[in-house]
Amino acid sequence: MDRIVKILFIDREEGEYLLLADLLSKIHHTDYQLVWHDRLDGALPAIFGDDYDLVLLDYYWDGDTAQDLLTAAKTQACTTPIVVMTSEMETEVDREAIRAGAADYLIKGHIDTQLLERTLRYAIERKRTEQHLSRLAHYDTLTDIPNRILFRDRLEHAIRLADRDQGQFALMFIDLNGFKQVNDSFGHDTGDAMIRVCADRLKECMRRSDSVARMGGDEFTLLLENTDNGANIAHVAEKIIERIGAPYHIGGYEMRIGCSIGIAVYPDAGRDADSLLKNADMAMYQAKQQDDSSYRFFTEAMNKAVRLQLRMESDLRAALRLNQLSLEYQPRIDLNTGAIVAMEALLRWQHPERGLLDAKEFINVAEDTGLINDIGYWIVERACEDLRLLQSECQLDLRMAVNLSVRQFRDEQLVHRLAGTLNQIDVPGCHLEFELTEASLMDNLDLVSLCMRPLSHLGLEFSLDQFGSGSCSFLHLQRLPIRAVKIDSRFLAALSHNEEDQRLVRAMINLAHNLGKVVIAESVETQAQRDWLQAAGCDQMQGYLFCAPQPVDKVCRTVKQWHSIA
């Protein structure tokens, strides 16, 4: 036999499958292997797999048709030819099927071995020819990466997706610096070899979801999809500059070139393909005005924002090395006893130029860069050390609350590291409480719930911050090891005069109590808020009404003074 051809047969009837299998067994020069699939739903993944050379598809399914499946296969550029089958000749179905992407059309009951073999062979060969011609039309022959035609299609597809999902993506226009001198000095063969190496290096800088293309000459474009962070885009640009600028060893010579990159971010820099390409090209020419390789964003506002974030990232890395981070503590009061029962650890950064910064001014940078893991472990260690000091100095059984980032839950060493910290500093797990926002919990429910249980076995407890701002269900509150909920501070602002907010907060308190949770109010700033919340049954409070966040030595004196007065 010449070769093996695997066919996926999608039809309800086993009799049709046995009939076709018998016809195919009579063809001796090719081994046709027929695989039966008796359901229309779930067939698309099999069609898109690499297991089959051709698909035979029954068009009618209990009053429905397979047209949607054909359309989906065509839209997603399925490379496997599909031959449609019906029980009788129908001109309209023939036209619809071919229009929807079918390669050919067969009538059940009128199929013999010769017709079947010829139909299958022609469909496979025609598909190969189409793919070959399509590749010639859409791929650059020198580098074997997409050309400007295919890139334009992908750019317009990215625009449609981003418009639908309200997302962002970045278009980079890359021009090689010094390439003309290479061509003039070493010849076009060397220049072509350098272009191929550049294409390979650009592919190394991409994710699987990204696209690179050669627009012609020494110009390339790169499409970065699902980018919502200017600093991440800038990191890719820096990586490209580094890779393109590395030495080239071609024909026994070592050469170096550079590149200029213009960046246009959808939708800020344009909402259509022409505008994005033009603006990325314009930004590239701005970058070319620099002496060395560089990149420029199309909008100056974004340029400034990215530079600021990159500077913040660099400063934050230095802050970890130079011990510029610190913690302040805000007491939490039990309203029934009036005693201070817990502290919340709040991160601060003594920036050398900007002064003392709250965590909200830099925590997003820490999250985006992954520094949050190192910072998070440092916070836990310092908070546990200070907790031991406070418990010893104040002779109180205090609890320490620490804000935990969802990104930390992705660290495989989380449980091990926390267990080691508790053991080393000799702090019982039940004295440490991790705070998670309701929104972050619900956005990462599977990941967080998977980690919460082994942590709870260490005695660690959890509280749900910003309760009421997200969509946490009663079931999750009941089943997850959450000890307390903290009412979102936005509900407290209008408590004294807004009856609707009063009813809502009262219902939240009742709900939490019915589920056995402790209710905490934060950002309590007035006596009126305190009185109302206490009357409504709130258990604990913290805020500037009681005490502002303070360094450990000062908060220690505050606690002693508070309990000597109480």
Side-chain angles (χ1 to χ4, degrees):
M1 292 188 181
D2 293 338
R3 67 189 189 93
I4 297 173
V5 175
K6 293 193 69 174
I7 300 170
L8 177 64
F9 179 61
I10 307 172
D11 193 304
R12 297 177 307 281
E13 302 296 333
E14 185 177 12
E16 291 293 337
Y17 163 71
L18 296 174
L19 177 62
L20 284 175
D22 181 64
L23 291 173
L24 291 171
S25 70
K26 298 174 182 177
I27 303 171
H28 301 297
H29 56 78
T30 301
D31 181 12
Y32 286 101
Q33 297 182 1
L34 193 66
V35 177
W36 182 32
H37 190 95
D38 64 351
R39 295 173 62 86
L40 187 63
D41 56 322
L44 200 58
I47 292 174
F48 272 97
D50 297 324
D51 297 330
Y52 302 102
D53 301 288
L54 183 137
V55 176
L56 283 170
L57 173 66
D58 188 12
Y59 191 74
Y60 287 111
W61 291 77
D62 295 330
D64 201 0
T65 72
Q67 186 172 1
D68 287 344
L69 186 146
L70 284 169
T71 302
K74 181 179 179 181
T75 302
Q76 299 179 46
C78 177
T79 58
T80 307
I82 302 174
V83 175
V84 166
M85 303 174 67
T86 63
S87 298
E88 56 189 45
M89 179 63 187
E90 295 179 54
T91 304
E92 188 59 29
V93 171
D94 184 8
R95 291 172 180 166
E96 286 178 2
I98 298 299
R99 249 191 331 263
D104 212 335
Y105 179 77
L106 288 171
I107 304 168
K108 296 178 181 179
H110 297 273
I111 305 173
D112 58 26
T113 299
Q114 185 179 16
L115 174 62
L116 180 60
E117 191 274 341
R118 186 173 67 248
T119 300
L120 300 181
R121 178 162 45 85
Y122 282 10
I124 292 171
E125 290 176 357
R126 187 162 55 247
K127 193 70 173 181
R128 285 178 182 160
T129 301
E130 289 173 1
Q131 290 171 352
H132 177 66
L133 293 174
S134 175
R135 189 160 193 88
L136 289 176
H138 293 99
Y139 282 80
D140 177 59
T141 54
L142 178 62
T143 60
D144 201 36
I145 62 175
N147 60 16
R148 64 169 59 242
I149 297 172
L150 180 54
F151 186 82
R152 175 75 179 228
D153 289 341
R154 292 183 176 179
L155 175 57
E156 290 177 344
H157 179 66
I159 290 171
R160 289 192 295 271
L161 288 180
D163 184 55
R164 182 194 69 188
D165 300 332
Q166 300 296 300
Q168 288 187 338
F169 66 86
L171 169 64
M172 291 186 176
F173 206 107
I174 305 164
D175 185 80
L176 303 182
N177 302 334
F179 177 76
K180 185 178 184 301
Q181 289 88 331
V182 172
N183 250 346
D184 293 344
S185 303
F186 298 97
H188 291 284
D189 288 342
T190 299
D192 288 348
M194 179 172 279
I195 289 292
R196 284 193 290 268
V197 175
C198 284
D200 291 336
R201 291 181 178 183
L202 287 173
K203 286 190 286 188
E204 293 170 5
C205 300
M206 294 166 41
R207 303 166 301 177
R208 291 178 63 88
S209 59
D210 301 331
S211 298
V212 66
R214 184 184 178 209
M215 303 299 278
D218 60 351
E219 292 181 338
F220 296 86
T221 49
L222 194 65
L223 192 63
L224 304 177
E225 298 198 44
N226 302 316
T227 53
D228 56 0
N229 185 294
N232 289 342
I233 300 170
H235 282 312
V236 175
E238 291 170 348
K239 185 177 180 181
I240 290 171
I241 289 172
E242 179 184 351
R243 293 296 295 123
I244 294 296
Y248 296 78
H249 299 277
I250 301 171
Y253 296 97
E254 179 179 301
M255 294 159 278
R256 287 180 181 269
I257 60 173
C259 67
S260 299
I261 305 173
I263 306 170
V265 177
Y266 176 92
D268 296 331
R271 289 186 167 272
D272 60 79
D274 288 333
S275 297
L276 289 166
L277 286 166
K278 181 190 71 175
N279 292 336
D281 190 39
M282 189 182 304
M284 183 270 292
Y285 277 106
Q286 291 176 0
K288 235 174 171 39
Q289 305 310 309
Q290 307 300 309
D291 294 332
D292 297 320
S293 297
S294 64
Y295 62 90
R296 286 291 180 273
F297 284 86
F298 170 68
T299 60
E300 183 57 31
M302 183 172 287
N303 255 332
K304 291 180 179 178
V306 169
R307 286 197 297 268
L308 179 63
Q309 187 164 0
L310 289 175
R311 174 68 184 276
M312 180 72 82
E313 178 184 329
S314 175
D315 289 351
L316 191 53
R317 292 183 189 278
L320 272 171
R321 295 195 310 271
L322 302 175
N323 297 319
Q324 294 172 355
L325 299 179
S326 62
L327 294 180
E328 291 186 346
Y329 301 95
Q330 187 171 45
R332 188 193 300 167
I333 315 300
D334 185 307
L335 288 174
N336 292 322
T337 65
I340 294 175
V341 292
M343 295 283 170
E344 181 178 2
L346 299 168
L347 182 62
R348 300 289 186 260
W349 176 11
Q350 188 63 49
H351 193 280
E353 297 174 4
R354 300 173 58 188
L356 190 64
L357 302 180
D358 288 342
K360 63 184 178 183
E361 298 182 65
F362 59 88
I363 202 67
N364 288 338
V365 175
E367 292 268 5
D368 292 338
T369 58
L371 288 172
I372 191 64
N373 285 336
D374 291 337
I375 293 173
Y377 289 129
W378 177 86
I379 290 173
V380 172
E381 290 175 9
R382 178 57 57 86
C384 286
E385 290 170 355
D386 289 346
L387 177 62
R388 284 290 309 275
L389 174 66
L390 288 167
Q391 289 176 333
S392 174
E393 290 288 323
C394 303
Q395 295 298 303
L396 291 173
D397 191 24
L398 295 172
R399 184 188 304 271
M400 180 64 73
V402 174
N403 291 280
L404 201 63
S405 163
V406 168
R407 181 152 184 165
Q408 293 173 256
F409 282 101
R410 298 191 178 97
D411 184 1
E412 296 178 353
Q413 296 297 313
L414 177 65
V415 177
H416 177 74
R417 289 282 299 270
L418 292 178
T421 298
L422 293 174
N423 183 61
Q424 180 182 349
I425 303 177
D426 193 25
V427 171
C430 60
H431 288 175
L432 193 60
E433 174 186 302
F434 286 132
E435 291 189 8
L436 284 166
T437 65
E438 183 177 4
S440 66
L441 170 64
M442 296 312 299
D443 288 344
N444 304 271
L445 184 59
D446 291 339
L447 172 68
V448 174
S449 57
L450 189 66
C451 296
M452 286 177 90
R453 300 200 181 281
L455 290 174
S456 67
H457 291 327
L458 297 175
L460 298 167
E461 295 183 334
F462 295 87
S463 62
L464 195 62
D465 200 5
Q466 299 175 8
F467 182 57
S469 63
S471 56
C472 188
S473 72
F474 302 158
L475 188 63
H476 297 134
L477 275 177
Q478 187 177 24
R479 292 187 175 178
L480 292 175
I482 296 172
R483 169 184 171 272
V485 296
K486 299 184 77 172
I487 298 173
D488 190 349
S489 59
R490 289 174 294 181
F491 292 116
L492 304 185
L495 271 182
S496 60
H497 57 273
N498 190 316
E499 292 185 3
E500 185 175 340
D501 279 359
Q502 290 178 1
R503 287 194 297 271
L504 181 59
V505 173
R506 192 177 285 112
M508 291 163 61
I509 293 172
N510 290 335
L511 165 65
H513 282 162
N514 288 336
L515 293 174
K517 311 300 179 187
V518 174
V519 179
I520 304 165
E522 59 181 347
S523 301
V524 178
E525 298 180 354
T526 68
Q527 187 65 37
Q529 290 174 337
R530 169 183 175 150
D531 293 344
W532 190 93
L533 287 164
Q534 187 167 13
C538 184
D539 301 302
Q540 298 176 14
M541 293 186 192
Q542 68 184 78
Y544 279 77
L545 176 65
F546 306 102
C547 181
Q550 298 173 335
V552 64
D553 54 344
K554 191 171 182 180
V555 83
C556 186
R557 291 194 296 271
T558 298
V559 173
K560 290 179 178 179
Q561 183 180 14
W562 180 278
H563 280 273
S564 67
I565 295 173

